[in-house]
């Protein structure tokens, strides 16, 4: 989940991402032969033009009718392994391997419009992706080799928003694990992410403060208004007024008609508009199944303090009596053991997913099911 608004403050990370790719395999990638069953499966989302989704179901050898977890990826089109090609990490492959070897079945699937799955990823929102998860639940309920009363969800990043969206309206969800999931609205996630990323890159506080004021103008307009023409008017006026009223601002010279047009490009993304406006509390406050919410202390993309607290408040509002909130020291957004947590480290770290997090998720599920 990497989105930046004002590149004059925060330069593009594209080159950095490309430059740090490593050769495979990673140490935690599963090695053949597998000591569990692995089956390619297909299921249909009847609410989305009957698109066919493709995935892999792994089943432990040492347990009859095990509990099963559906893995939900973060933002951006990802295959069933959540293959982060620039970083050469496959987090869902590693997570599913660990869970299955410890008695928990796992369904992971290609996002719609990705790899073997049908559909259009670019026009979908988090709400659309939630219907894909519901289709996965419906499919699992047709199986006779899992315990259909123990179907749970594990979502990473945006997947940690989607999991409560599904759980809030589907009592067939037995548990939810939110890994680096959001607990505040998308505007706040993006603002805090942008600020922390810039801090890690050495940007001065004055620029960070100004950048935040400008992004607040943009996000505020999107949250308050639905009509695109009105949003365009409010953002254009807001940025121009800021330039007029703050002539000594470091960022004021950059506010040009061309720059404003560039910022208005945000309106072309249906996904981003939905994300900015969405309040996780709306779904968390209706989620009553057991929930584990974890985050790394060095996560700069979904800051642990405000997001874990938002998740806590939502679950408390739901009257949820079985939830665990934990910030894990030293882990980044990918749940790797990190030095700073910055994106530049992602591909340089050999570890794909820290064992402390893998064991916590596994033990928490097995304790309950």
């Amino acid at each position: 989940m990497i989105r930046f608004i004002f590149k004059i403050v925060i330069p593009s990370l594209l080159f950095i991402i490309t430059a740090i790719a490593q050769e495979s395999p990673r140490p935690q990638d599963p090695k053949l032969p597998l000591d569990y069953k692995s089956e390619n499966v297909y299921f249909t989302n009847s609410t989305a033009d009957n698109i066919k989704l493709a995935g892999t179901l792994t089943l432990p050898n040492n347990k009859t009718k095990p509990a099963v977890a559906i893995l939900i990826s973060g933002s951006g089109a990802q295959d069933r392994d959540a293959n982060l090609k620039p970083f050469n990490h496959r987090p869902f492959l590693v997570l599913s391997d660990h869970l299955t070897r410890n008695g928990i079945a796992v369904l992971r699937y290609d996002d719609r419009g990705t790899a073997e799955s049908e559909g259009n990823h670019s026009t979908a929102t988090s709400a659309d992706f939630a219907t894909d998860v519901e289709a996965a639940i419906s499919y699992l309920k047709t199986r006779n080799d899992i315990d259909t009363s123990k179907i749970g969800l594990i979502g990473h990043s945006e997947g940690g928003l989607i999991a409560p969206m599904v759980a809030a309206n589907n009592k067939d969800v037995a548990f939810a694990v939110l890994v680096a999931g959001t607990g505040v609205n998308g505007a706040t996630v993006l603002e805090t992410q942008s600020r922390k990323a810039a801090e890690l890159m050495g940007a001065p506080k004055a620029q960070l403060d100004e950048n935040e004021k400008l992004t607040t103008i943009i996000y505020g307009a999107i949250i308050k208004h639905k009509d695109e023409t009105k949003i365009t008017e409010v953002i254009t006026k807001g940025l121009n007024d800021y330039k007029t009223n703050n002539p000594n601002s470091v960022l004021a010279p950059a506010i040009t008609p061309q720059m404003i047009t560039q910022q208005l490009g945000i309106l072309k993304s249906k996904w981003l508009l939905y994300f900015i406006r969405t309040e996780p509390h709306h779904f968390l406050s209706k989620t009553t199944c057991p929930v584990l919410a974890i985050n790394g202390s060095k996560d700069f993309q979904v800051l642990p303090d405000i997001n874990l607290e938002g998740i806590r408040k939502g679950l408390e509002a739901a009257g949820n009596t079985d939830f665990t909130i934990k910030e894990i020291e030293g882990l980044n957004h990918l749940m790797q053991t990190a030095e700073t947590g910055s994106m530049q480290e992602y591909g340089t770290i050999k570890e794909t997913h820290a064992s402390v997090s893998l064991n916590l998720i596994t033990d928490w599920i097995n304790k309950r099911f």
Side-chain angles (χ1 to χ4, degrees):
M1 186 182 295
I2 305 293
R3 313 274 178 174
F4 297 127
I5 299 298
F6 292 93
K7 293 183 179 179
I8 56 173
V9 176
I10 307 166
S12 172
L13 295 178
L14 180 60
F15 175 77
I16 298 173
I17 292 173
T18 303
I20 61 178
Q22 303 284 323
E23 293 184 359
S24 58
R26 289 293 189 182
Q28 288 177 292
D29 287 350
K31 297 175 178 59
L32 299 176
L34 301 176
D35 58 355
Y36 50 82
K37 303 180 187 72
S38 180
E39 176 185 348
N40 290 330
V41 299
Y42 302 89
F43 54 96
T44 300
N45 185 340
S46 60
T47 67
D49 297 325
N50 289 313
I51 59 172
K52 184 168 67 174
L53 301 166
T56 299
L57 177 64
T58 52
L59 297 155
N61 287 328
N62 59 350
K63 186 175 291 188
T64 302
K65 295 208 171 198
V68 58
I70 299 170
L71 304 190
I72 312 170
S73 69
S75 60
Q78 299 178 46
D79 67 16
R80 68 194 70 185
D81 296 335
N83 191 353
L84 305 176
K85 292 182 179 179
F87 308 122
N88 189 39
H89 281 291
R90 289 154 288 279
F92 277 9
L93 177 63
V94 171
L95 177 57
S96 64
D97 176 70
H98 187 272
L99 291 170
T100 310
R101 285 190 288 106
N102 285 278
I104 302 165
V106 177
L107 173 60
R108 65 188 199 276
Y109 59 91
D110 303 326
D111 289 344
R112 63 166 68 188
T114 307
E116 294 185 48
S117 286
E118 297 175 346
N120 189 336
H121 190 279
S122 65
T123 60
T125 67
S126 302
D128 297 317
F129 298 135
T131 68
D132 294 340
V133 178
E134 290 167 347
I137 293 173
S138 296
Y139 165 72
L140 287 174
K141 290 170 69 175
T142 69
R143 305 278 305 201
N144 59 15
D145 49 2
I146 61 166
D147 189 334
T148 56
S149 69
K150 299 176 181 177
I151 299 173
L153 312 175
I154 302 178
H156 175 253
S157 198
E158 183 193 0
L161 165 65
I162 294 171
M165 292 175 69
V166 176
N169 298 308
N170 193 325
K171 299 308 177 185
D172 290 327
V173 175
F175 63 89
V177 179
L178 317 181
V179 183
T182 61
V184 294
N185 67 35
T188 303
V189 172
L190 295 174
E191 283 185 339
T192 55
Q193 174 190 113
S194 241
R195 187 179 185 97
K196 188 62 177 180
E199 285 178 358
L200 290 171
M201 297 175 72
K205 182 178 182 301
Q207 285 188 341
L208 298 178
D209 292 342
E210 285 199 51
N211 191 71
E212 195 166 303
K213 291 176 182 176
L214 297 177
T215 56
T216 298
I217 292 171
I218 295 174
Y219 297 146
I222 291 170
I223 292 173
K224 185 175 181 180
H225 305 286
K226 297 297 184 287
D227 179 72
E228 185 172 323
T229 300
K230 181 64 175 179
I231 295 172
T232 298
E233 292 175 356
V234 172
I235 290 176
T236 301
K237 183 178 186 304
L239 294 178
N240 282 325
D241 285 351
Y242 183 89
K243 181 175 183 177
T244 299
N245 297 330
N246 299 275
N248 297 322
S249 162
V250 175
L251 299 186
I255 301 176
T256 63
Q258 293 77 15
M259 176 271 220
I260 293 175
T261 298
Q262 180 186 36
Q263 300 308 319
L264 290 172
I266 196 174
L267 301 181
K268 297 178 181 179
S269 173
K270 184 180 177 182
W271 175 87
L272 191 51
L273 293 177
Y274 183 90
F275 181 72
I276 289 169
R277 293 168 174 151
T278 299
E279 294 284 353
H281 184 89
H282 175 74
F283 308 105
L284 291 162
S285 62
K286 299 175 184 177
T287 300
T288 55
C289 67
V291 174
L292 169 65
I294 60 175
N295 206 334
S297 67
K298 295 186 178 180
D299 187 343
F300 85 91
Q301 293 179 248
V302 178
L303 271 60
D305 49 359
I306 59 171
N307 285 285
L308 289 179
E309 184 59 22
I311 292 171
R312 180 190 303 279
K313 289 180 178 178
L315 295 174
E316 287 176 344
N320 193 311
T321 58
D322 184 2
F323 67 86
T324 302
I325 309 286
K326 186 173 180 60
E327 179 178 330
I328 306 177
E329 184 62 32
L331 302 192
N332 62 19
H333 186 64
L334 300 185
M335 307 309 285
Q336 300 169 299
T337 305
E339 291 292 328
T340 68
S342 72
M343 185 187 291
Q344 292 95 319
E345 291 181 331
Y346 289 176
T348 66
I349 300 172
K350 292 183 179 180
E351 176 184 71
T352 297
H353 192 138
S355 59
V356 61
S357 173
L358 291 172
N359 291 332
L360 175 60
I361 295 170
T362 303
D363 293 346
W364 184 88
I365 297 172
N366 278 332
K367 181 179 178 181
R368 285 157 180 78
F369 303 100

